[in-house]
Structures are given as structure tokens and as C-alpha cells.
Amino acid sequence: MKLPLFFLLLAVMLSSGGCGAPGEERRSLEPDFNTENHPVQESWNITLYLTDAGIRKGSIKAGHAAEYSNKGKSSYYLDRSVTVVFYGRIGTPPTTINADKAVIHENQDIEAFGKVVVTAGNNTVIRTTYLRRTAGDAMIRSNRHVTITGEDGTIEGKGFESDQSLKRYRIFQGSGEGLIK
């Protein structure tokens, strides 16, 4: 008789060892867990909107986004077909950036990587492997090889800077063919 009672008590003790109210017990991170190397949150098939004083200035779409936090500042790492659209004034076509990957910094600066293609309403197309769009002055810059194709021809160079609508641009170390008017 004592033996079955012992097994019954043992079974009750083993089965109740992992039970508890789910909301009461919170685990903290391991002391050596490095949060800089792990995303705070992730999302798939996202659309973000860039605004200024409540006015929509652009949109960003990506197949995957991961937010990282470092020293209180957040950055969003995007991949899987990134598309950034900057809206112009009413009635003007937008500027579109397509890239393999991008990073959006807390100040809304955007870096694009991989196969980067920028198009604007004036039929200008810029191809490069890296560019940075600074939010403060709405300029697009790159220090890598670029190819700019427009209505007047094709120019290649290493590095460029342009206004966001690609109406005024400078290319550095340039070469190419074009029509001079």
C-alpha cells in the first residue's frame, strides 16, 4: 500500500512542477545577451509612410523589415524588394528608388544597397550599388560607380549628388556620351 501512494505523490509532484500562472512569471534577458545584434521587432510585407508635419512626403515598401535599437536610437533594416517613393509637389511625378536592401535611420536618412535604380518623372534613370538620401536637405548622393541615363544621353562616373527630383545633378569623375544643347 505504501508503494502505490509513493508513486501517486511522485506523479503529482512531477506534473505540477511546470505549472504556474502565465502572466505572473516574466523572464528577463540573460545577463550576457547582446541586444545590438538582435532585432527589437520584425515585420513582413510592410508599408511605411514618411511624413513632415502630418503631410505625407513618401512611402516605403519592403518584403521584410527588422528594427534595431542602439543607444536609444532605432534603425530599420529592409530587404526583399525595397521600393521608396518620394512625392513631389502636386502634379509632379514622384521619384522612385528600388533596391535590394535599405536602412532607414531615425532622422529619416535612407541608405540603399545592392542593385539600386532611381527613376524620376523627367525620364532620368540612375543605376548604382549604393546611395544615401539625406532628409535634412532632400539630396541623393553616392560615392560609387553610377550610370545616369536621360533624354540627352548616358553619363557614367564615380559618385554623384542630386536633388530629390533628379532635375539638378552633379556627377564626379564622369565620362559618357550626350547631347549638348
Side-chain angles (χ1 to χ4, degrees), residues 5 10 33 48 62-63 73 78 122 130 134 137-138 157 163 167 178:
L5 180 61
L10 182 62
F33 185 78
L48 302 172
K73 294 186 178 184
L78 311 173
N122 60 359
Y130 169 82
T134 50
D137 58 4
D163 63 325
K167 290 183 180 175

Side-chain angles (χ1 to χ4, degrees), residues 13-148:
M13 287 176 25
L14 291 176
S15 65
S16 66
C19 296
E24 292 178 13
E25 186 179 335
R26 299 278 186 217
R27 288 183 28 163
S28 60
L29 293 175
E30 299 295 327
D32 59 345
F33 185 78
N34 183 356
T35 59
E36 292 179 13
N37 297 330
H38 299 281
V40 175
Q41 65 179 342
E42 289 184 273
S43 299
W44 285 263
N45 299 318
I46 60 116
T47 301
L48 302 172
Y49 295 102
L50 301 173
T51 61
D52 183 16
I55 299 170
R56 190 179 294 176
K57 299 290 185 174
S59 65
I60 301 170
K61 292 184 178 186
H64 175 254
E67 178 186 359
Y68 289 83
S69 182
N70 186 6
K71 297 179 183 172
K73 294 186 178 184
S74 292
S75 296
Y76 294 89
Y77 288 76
L78 311 173
D79 57 15
R80 300 183 188 165
S81 300
V82 178
T83 300
V84 180
V85 178
F86 295 109
Y87 307 126
R89 294 182 199 151
I90 296 175
T92 61
T95 299
T96 304
I97 300 172
N98 290 300
D100 294 332
K101 297 180 181 183
V103 177
I104 304 171
H105 300 280
E106 192 167 277
N107 63 356
Q108 292 191 356
D109 284 1
I110 299 171
E111 292 181 274
F113 305 92
K115 183 179 173 186
V116 181
V117 179
V118 185
T119 57
N122 60 359
N123 296 325
T124 301
V125 177
I126 297 176
R127 298 179 194 286
T128 186
T129 59
Y130 169 82
L131 68 80
R132 182 178 187 108
R133 187 266 186 182
T134 50
D137 58 4
M139 294 288 286
I140 299 172
R141 296 177 176 89
S142 179
N143 59 0
R144 310 268 170 85
H145 180 268
V146 298
T147 302
I148 301 176

